[in-house]
Amino acid sequence: MSTPDRDTDVTVIAKTVTRVVFPLILLTAIALLLRGHNLPGGGFIAGVLTAAAFALLYVIFGLDFVGSDLLDRGGTPTVAAGPAIVAEYRLAFAAGLGLAVTGGIAAIALGFPFLTQAVLFLYDLPIYHELELASAFVFDLGVYLVVVGALLTILAVVGAE
Amino acid sequence: MGGSVAQTTAEPTAAVLVAALGLPFLGALVVPLLYRALGERVAYVAAAIALACFGLVASQYGTQGTVTVPWIPELDVALVLYLDGLSLLIALLASGIGVLIFTYSGSYMHGESGIARYYATLLAFMGSMLGVALASDLISLFVFWELTSITSFGLIGHYREEASSLYAARKSMLITVSGGLFMLVGFLLLRYVSGEALASATYTLVGTPDSMIANADAMRVALQDAGLFLPVLGLIAIGAGAKSAQVPLHLWLPNAMEAPTPVSAFLHSATMVKAGVYLVGRMRPLLVGEEWMLLFGTLGLLTMTVTALLAIGASDIKELLAYSTASHLGLITAGFGFANQLGAETGVFHILNHALFKATLFLVAGIVAHEAGTRAIDELSGLRHDLPLVAVITAIAALGMAGLPPFNGFYSKELLFEAAYEVAHTDGGLLWLFPIVAVVGSVFTFLYSIRFLWLFMGEKPAGLGEVHSPPALLVAPPAILAALAAVVGIDPQLAVDTIVQSAFGSAVAGEAHTMSVHLPTELKPAVLMSAITIAVGIVASPFYDRIRDAVRRASRGPLSANWYYDGAVDGLERASALSLPRVQTGYFRTYAAWTLAATSLLALAGYLAAGVSLPAFTGLSVALPVVIVLAVAVVGAAAVGIAPSHVAGVLTLSILGFMIALFYVLSNAPDLALTQLAVETLVLVLFLLVLDKLPAYYGDAPLSRTLRDGALAAGVGVTVFVTVLVATAASPNDVIAEFLVERAPVPKEHGPVLLDSGGGGNIVNVILVDFRAFDTMGEISVVAMAALSVLTLIAMRGRGESS
């Protein structure tokens, strides 16, 4: 994928479509994440979808593009050190795991068992009128980050192979 | 439990027992640190810890009962300890002799390597033994039991550079641990049966009104009804026999003398091997009966005689003592085996007597080896000139071991004779073999005991160099033990009243009578048997060397137990060397094939063994769209098998995946469908990404492999199919789904904050992030770990290749 001569295999149509579709997929993923509490969706699906979007980028543009152009990083990824971009992915899943645990510990701090979740209803808000805030969303966000980070790490490392 | 025991109603103190059990383990942690500051003097710290344990246990003298220390109160899990006469006796022996062993080690182990490890392991070992004695339920008994095996493995293999030491350690571990596993199966069967016999299934062996021993009659009836009485008896006998070195599992004990002598003294007198006879004594009220007597009476007497003969054949003083230990354990087992009260008296009294004289003799053997520089029996004699005090100590202990009046071993051996005679007299027939074999075994015991004493008698051989006099700290421990043995010998009733009587009560089902032990004043059959033993022993002692040579000749080749052990171990090693190239080829497909085949076989065999029946077929009621979707999926699956290239294979595989997603949609599971779609897409992309590097076409696989893989795939398919059928057919009474359906959505009436309900419309997601968030947490940790391991593996492989 990352060899220059392979780039000629990818047609302009594919590249253009990817440019349009990529943000759409990400948007869908975020929508799935946000509405997961009440409608089909959730952190895991959103995470897999996000990873799929990046996988599309890898297939069409190659590993280097995501590393150098998209995230403004120089250098070719090498396997021995792990692709440079992997550091970000690793950060993502570490942060996700941390977020999930912290959310659970917050419940302990408030005097409830580990990982107790609560739902808070806000009334009389402008525009929204009524808003439901679930603490489980924090946990879901953690799941999302872990899935995205882990899948992309595997993808990048295996892809670089 | 009955008799005089019933009068002692005081309960033991929980804190004291827990402290006694915890101190050695705590000490094991601290000793390596203290070693840096104190050096070899750490031995006396360990001795102080053992002394504290002894004091704590002794302070509970006269109490009986169960103490419960809550551990995980929510799950009703607690540490339960039980103290009665028998556990008190074992605990006092383990900690009391422990004090002397540590003190002795302080001098004996001077200048040795691995001192910190030695004391830490020895302390942990002592703690494990206390745990065995104090455990009230079968699970903790098993855990402490195997802990003694593991710690003794470290102790026997103390000299890590010597092959014989490692061989001995491995052997004892292999035999005692695997024996323990048999015992565990027996314990599990006991629990299973206790569900039938008692109000509810329990692991509690003793101490509470609903324990197994408190309901021994109901347990026996239930065991017999289930046809499990003999299996349980056999399994427990294997466990106890392996630990207590009963024939034919005695072969690890002589090798265990590779351990430093203080360890041998401890293992062979007061601890390790006593765990086995303790178990026999403990289980006795539960299982005693006709079968019990035949099994343990035969096993014990056989062991007693065979190993006594082997002791005569020994050429090393520690080897002699090791075989003699097995022989005396046989005596104790036989005692517990006889189904009359005299038998229980024999067992408990000989536990005490054997611990006293055998620990003494091992410590003496250590002194002899240390000061004379050799352990070969033939090179040693006349040591009394150089070691007069040690000679007196040895005389007391060895004559006790020989069973001569008025030394301590005499009384318990006399009880054995009485018990065996009573059994034979009551039941007659073949059981007359019991008293006969007991006498024969005792003659051999007499012979080797006298031979050991002869190390100190006669003239000093010319070849023996200068014998130094040992330091006081080396002589004091055996002197104390010999003094105790002498006291028991002179006034046995004192020992009986102090401790043996209450221990006796623990080993008897029903009321225990009051024990009375004294020198015989009239001619009873037992007295006659003792007289025969001593007379034959004296007549036979001039022929000692001939008997020894005969034993040595006989115990070579196929007749020696080692022959079987070594053969079995070698066979196992060869078999595993043969199977290795078939199982571990380094190819992923080999590992996958073995793993899948084994899993399927085990699962199917499990269903067969458990007699699971498939749900009845109630006719097809499937909608047309589902049929179409599944049919396309099947076509996709078939196409994978005949795909001409990797890419085609992956693409047809995704047909299967996407059809399953459609199936989820049709089954009203949008969440699953979404996940399946996303994962399927991602997997497809990933595959294509990887396949870029692989050759486009498959190589030609041989037909045999295709057939084999096909059969394997079919087997896995059947397993999954059956599993799904069986799993979905089981419908529990309290349906979890109802709980979740009720609590997941927002309730009709609710305040601004919801705590006891998920408050979400998507039940699947609410379950994932709220009700079962802890599960999800584990899952995402696994995902994160998988990513890390991919990273590490590939990075490491790269590094390995480049260097």
Side-chain angles (χ1 to χ4, degrees), chain B residues 530-706:
Chain B
S530 277
I532 295 174
T533 305
I534 297 167
V536 174
I538 290 171
V539 171
S541 39
F543 306 104
Y544 187 89
D545 288 352
R546 280 197 211 169
I547 303 175
R548 183 193 64 196
D549 294 339
V551 170
R552 283 189 192 168
R553 268 197 307 277
S555 56
R556 270 192 219 124
L559 263 183
S560 75
N562 263 341
W563 191 77
Y564 296 104
Y565 171 80
D566 292 338
V569 171
D570 285 351
L572 277 178
E573 279 177 5
R574 269 200 299 277
S576 57
L578 278 180
S579 63
L580 205 61
R582 307 206 129 268
V583 180
Q584 298 195 332
T585 55
Y587 292 115
F588 177 71
R589 57 172 177 269
T590 321
Y591 294 115
W594 280 105
T595 314
L596 288 172
T599 312
S600 303
L601 273 180
L602 280 177
L604 289 178
Y607 294 141
L608 271 182
V612 174
S613 58
L614 292 177
F617 184 69
T618 51
L620 273 177
S621 58
V622 188
L624 186 65
V626 176
V627 174
I628 295 174
V629 165
L630 290 182
V632 175
V634 170
V635 171
V640 176
I642 54 169
S645 72
H646 286 296
V647 175
V650 168
L651 288 174
T652 41
L653 188 62
S654 350
I655 295 179
L656 179 63
F658 286 120
M659 283 306 129
I660 289 175
L662 275 183
F663 171 70
Y664 287 146
V665 172
L666 292 173
S667 314
N668 291 327
D671 255 301
L672 283 181
L674 260 178
T675 314
Q676 174 74 19
L677 276 176
V679 170
E680 198 56 46
T681 313
L682 187 64
V683 167
L684 182 63
V685 172
L686 254 180
F687 262 130
L688 292 178
L689 203 65
V690 174
L691 286 183
D692 204 39
K693 301 286 178 196
L694 290 179
Y697 292 94
Y698 291 117
D700 286 329
L703 185 66
S704 64
R705 197 162 84 204
T706 314

Side-chain angles (χ1 to χ4, degrees), chain A residues 6 38-39 119 121 132 155 161, chain B residues 686 692 752 754 759 761 797:
Chain A
R6 303 278 308 175
N38 283 316
L39 292 165
V119 183
F121 290 94
E132 181 189 345
L155 203 65
E161 272 283 282
Chain B
L686 254 180
D692 204 39
L754 275 181
R797 198 182 65 178

Side-chain angles (χ1 to χ4, degrees), chain B residues 446-461:
Chain B
F446 177 87
L447 282 174
Y448 70 69
S449 302
I450 298 303
R451 181 67 189 88
F452 189 86
L453 185 58
W454 222 253
L455 300 176
F456 291 85
M457 300 297 144
E459 285 313 306
K460 197 175 159 185

Side-chain angles (χ1 to χ4, degrees), chain B residues 375-394:
Chain B
R375 295 200 322 229
I377 294 176
D378 294 339
E379 295 171 18
L380 291 164
S381 66
L383 289 169
R384 72 175 186 285
H385 300 295
D386 296 308
L387 307 166
L389 182 56
V390 180
V392 175
I393 293 171
T394 310

Side-chain angles (χ1 to χ4, degrees), chain B residues 103-354:
Chain B
T103 315
Y104 182 88
S105 297
S107 303
Y108 188 88
M109 298 298 284
H110 177 68
E112 300 258 2
S113 60
I115 293 287
R117 173 165 51 91
Y118 172 82
Y119 288 113
T121 322
L122 203 54
L123 273 173
F125 176 72
M126 190 181 88
S128 320
M129 195 58 207
L130 287 173
V132 169
L134 294 175
S136 152
D137 65 281
L138 294 173
I139 292 300
S140 34
L141 176 62
F142 173 76
V143 169
F144 284 116
W145 178 280
E146 293 295 43
L147 260 181
T148 63
S149 294
I150 293 166
T151 42
S152 68
F153 172 75
L155 289 171
I156 295 173
H158 179 75
Y159 299 113
R160 289 180 176 180
E161 299 77 30
E162 291 176 30
S164 59
S165 176
L166 300 180
Y167 172 79
R170 207 163 47 229
K171 195 179 192 181
S172 76
M173 174 98 152
L174 196 61
I175 292 177
T176 59
V177 169
S178 49
L181 292 179
F182 281 98
M183 185 183 82
L184 177 65
V185 177
F187 285 179
L188 294 177
L189 288 178
L190 272 179
R191 177 189 157 88
Y192 167 73
V193 167
S194 74
E196 311 273 311
L198 312 174
S200 60
T202 179
Y203 277 115
T204 311
L205 177 66
V206 66
T208 56
D210 54 356
S211 69
M212 294 181 190
I213 287 183
N215 302 282
D217 292 332
M219 281 295 293
R220 266 200 299 276
V221 170
L223 276 169
Q224 259 141 5
D225 286 349
L228 287 173
F229 189 81
L230 284 180
V232 166
L233 196 59
L235 288 166
I236 287 175
I238 292 175
K243 202 73 160 182
S244 277
Q246 302 294 296
V247 167
L249 301 172
H250 65 284
L251 57 155
W252 67 267
L253 197 58
N255 288 95
M257 69 180 184
E258 294 293 340
T261 301
V263 171
S264 306
F266 203 30
L267 250 63
H268 289 191
S269 64
T271 53
M272 185 79 167
V273 296
K274 282 288 188 326
V277 289
Y278 166 77
L279 183 75
V280 177
R282 181 54 87 202
M283 285 286 175
R284 194 175 182 276
L286 181 64
L287 299 171
V288 71
E290 193 78 3
E291 298 94 340
W292 169 278
M293 181 161 80
L294 278 178
L295 177 63
F296 284 106
T298 314
L299 183 70
L301 287 176
L302 196 67
T303 304
M304 178 177 166
T305 310
V306 170
T307 48
L309 259 177
L310 290 170
I312 292 178
S315 56
D316 175 307
I317 49 178
K318 275 180 80 179
E319 190 188 355
L320 185 151
L321 290 177
Y323 277 123
S324 120
T325 297
S327 174
H328 284 274
L329 292 167
L331 195 162
I332 298 171
T333 308
F336 280 133
F338 294 135
N340 49 33
Q341 297 215 353
L342 283 165
E345 285 186 7
T346 313
V348 288
F349 200 12
H350 205 66
I351 285 183
L352 174 69
N353 286 334
H354 174 251

Side-chain angles (χ1 to χ4, degrees), chain B residues 748-774:
Chain B
K748 270 192 189 128
E749 304 285 328
H750 63 86
V753 178
L754 275 181
L755 262 181
D756 54 348
S757 119
N762 179 5
I763 293 187
V764 176
N765 199 49
V766 169
I767 293 174
L768 281 180
V769 296
D770 190 343
F771 293 117
R772 318 232 28 164
F774 203 61

